[in-house]
Amino acid sequence: MTAKEAWGASGLAWLTGQPDGRPDFSRAAVLQRAAQVLGRFTAATGAQADAAELLAGRAGLLGWTRAGRISAGGASRLLAAADGWWALTLSRADDLDAVPALIESECCEPWAGIAGWSSTRPVGEVVARARLLDLPAAALGETAPSAPVVRRVGPVGQVRGLRGALVVDLTSLWAGPLCGRLLAQAGATVIKVESPSRPDGTRVGPSSFFGWMNGGKLSCAVDFDRDTAILAQLLSVADVVLEGSRPAALARRRLGPLDVAGRPGRVWLQITAHGAESGYAGFGDDAAVAGGLVGDGPVFCADAIADPLTGIEAAAAVADSLARGGGELITVALAAVAANYAALPGHAPACEVAALPPPLPRIEGAGPALGSDNARISDLVAARC
């Protein structure tokens, strides 16, 4: 099967392009490269996964299709500025509340108001103002390709694989939970840690997606402000830590990778939108635009594609680090991952290739109830201590 045929069969072409136009095959090399990364992960760990299913599965579960400059999920827009294109995501109530401050005017229809406001201003100005208000925004192609940042932060341990490893998953939504899911498939015990007052946002809405990402994990419910001692102990006995919040969120609680001493060989993986130093908010669709990973037009490429690509790359990075003996802090940025994939050779449109809707992914079980495994996790920690 050629790269274009695989892109069409996966549902990714179906998700890319103008809603009233032909499916877009220009990014077919993305699926091919993601499959190669997963193949390397499988060779190292024995875990089986299908790249097409991981990239298009959410849209298949939720019945989404392409909407051009509106993201498949509807929360992001590609917008014209006076000298370029930019993306903005309004998925949180606070984001919508900030729109009048962004455009310095009240408006009845937020997206129409933003589009009119940005059309006469330089793209750098509109993105800078949005970020000043902590809105997830990005200019098209602003991020250059780059590899994950790897730093030595602890002692090297024995070279090991993932089978039997203890993974503490502090992430939410898609990229981090997907990484944790792949590690669980490779034989790791994955503990999903959430605050009862602010659980993973995917618990709200269709349960199928939460179950797909988190089935097979243990659930630990702790208060991140009151239960810092419990969290510190959990982080100290982990072989792998997955972090998806802004690094400052854990650092101010003294729960960061430099605050909590770990076992020899512990791997700490940070997933950020734009890198650990920027602190900018971002989600899969706007981060993909930052990396230049868009379809012709421009239009959004697939469904928040920076998220699943980052989840795949992060899982491979963890496996590689453990094979080196660990003791590392790895920072993976959604926008940089997207830029790496955007740099792959493009494919000319090929209307003779079939474009199928995304298939339903395989879901092996429901996700764990919040805090359902607290007692079992306490026993695991005690045994490791």
Side-chain angles (χ1 to χ4, degrees):
M1 186 180 291
T2 68
K4 286 189 236 182
E5 289 170 338
W7 182 258
S10 69
L12 292 164
W14 182 271
L15 293 168
T16 309
Q18 295 289 357
D20 54 353
R22 290 177 175 174
D24 188 332
F25 289 80
S26 61
R27 294 296 183 179
V30 167
L31 175 59
Q32 195 172 40
R33 175 64 61 84
Q36 291 170 354
V37 176
L38 269 178
R40 193 177 82 240
F41 180 75
T42 296
T45 67
Q48 298 290 330
D50 180 71
E53 180 180 290
L54 297 183
L55 298 185
R58 185 174 76 163
L61 282 173
L62 303 180
W64 291 345
T65 186
R66 62 186 180 277
R69 292 182 183 136
I70 301 174
S71 64
S76 304
R77 298 287 194 281
L78 258 167
L79 302 159
D83 58 349
W85 293 90
W86 67 297
L88 178 67
T89 300
L90 301 178
S91 61
R92 306 168 295 187
D94 289 347
D95 297 337
L96 286 166
D97 291 341
V99 170
L102 174 67
I103 65 176
E104 300 180 279
S105 175
E106 295 293 333
C107 60
C108 296
E109 210 295 304
W111 285 116
I114 295 167
W117 168 79
S118 73
S119 64
T120 60
R121 291 167 170 79
V123 68
E125 177 185 318
V126 299
V127 170
R129 182 164 180 81
R131 286 175 171 168
L132 187 65
L133 296 168
D134 200 31
L135 292 171
L140 175 60
E142 68 179 11
T143 302
S146 63
V149 178
V150 181
R151 289 185 287 161
R152 172 75 54 204
V153 294
V156 176
Q158 293 183 340
V159 172
R160 62 165 301 164
L162 281 157
R163 187 156 301 280
L166 183 65
V167 178
V168 174
D169 182 358
L170 305 174
T171 68
S172 61
L173 302 179
W174 196 353
L178 173 56
C179 175
R181 174 184 183 269
L182 291 170
L183 301 186
Q185 287 181 297
T189 297
V190 180
I191 300 172
K192 183 172 181 62
V193 181
E194 300 168 83
S195 169
S197 62
R198 193 174 180 181
D200 188 331
T202 58
R203 284 190 180 274
V204 179
S207 60
S208 56
F209 181 69
F210 180 82
W212 182 38
M213 287 294 103
N214 298 290
K217 300 178 184 178
L218 304 178
S219 175
C220 177
V222 296
D223 188 293
F224 278 61
D225 293 311
R226 293 201 305 261
D227 300 329
T228 53
I230 296 173
L231 269 172
Q233 190 175 49
L234 189 56
L235 297 172
S236 71
V237 302
D239 297 303
V240 178
V241 177
L242 307 180
E243 174 196 345
S245 59
R246 301 183 202 186
L250 289 181
R252 68 170 176 264
R253 297 176 173 92
R254 299 197 62 78
L255 293 171
L258 303 180
D259 302 311
V260 181
R263 295 158 66 91
R266 182 182 68 185
V267 177
W268 192 298
L269 182 119
Q270 293 176 332
I271 294 178
T272 70
H274 298 278
E277 303 304 320
S278 78
Y280 296 141
F283 295 96
D285 283 304
D286 53 85
V289 171
L293 187 51
V294 295
D296 291 332
V299 295
F300 283 108
C301 178
D303 169 29
I305 196 165
D307 271 317
L309 288 176
T310 300
I312 292 168
E313 294 283 343
V318 168
D320 290 345
S321 181
L322 289 173
R324 293 191 294 266
E328 296 175 335
L329 169 63
I330 305 169
T331 303
V332 184
L334 297 173
V337 170
N340 292 336
Y341 280 83
L344 298 173
H347 287 260
C351 58
E352 74 277 4
V353 177
L356 304 178
L360 290 174
R362 298 181 299 275
I363 302 177
E364 297 173 0
L370 183 62
S372 59
D373 301 296
N374 276 18
R376 180 180 172 187
I377 291 164
S378 294
D379 292 341
L380 284 173
V381 171
R384 286 205 158 210
C385 286

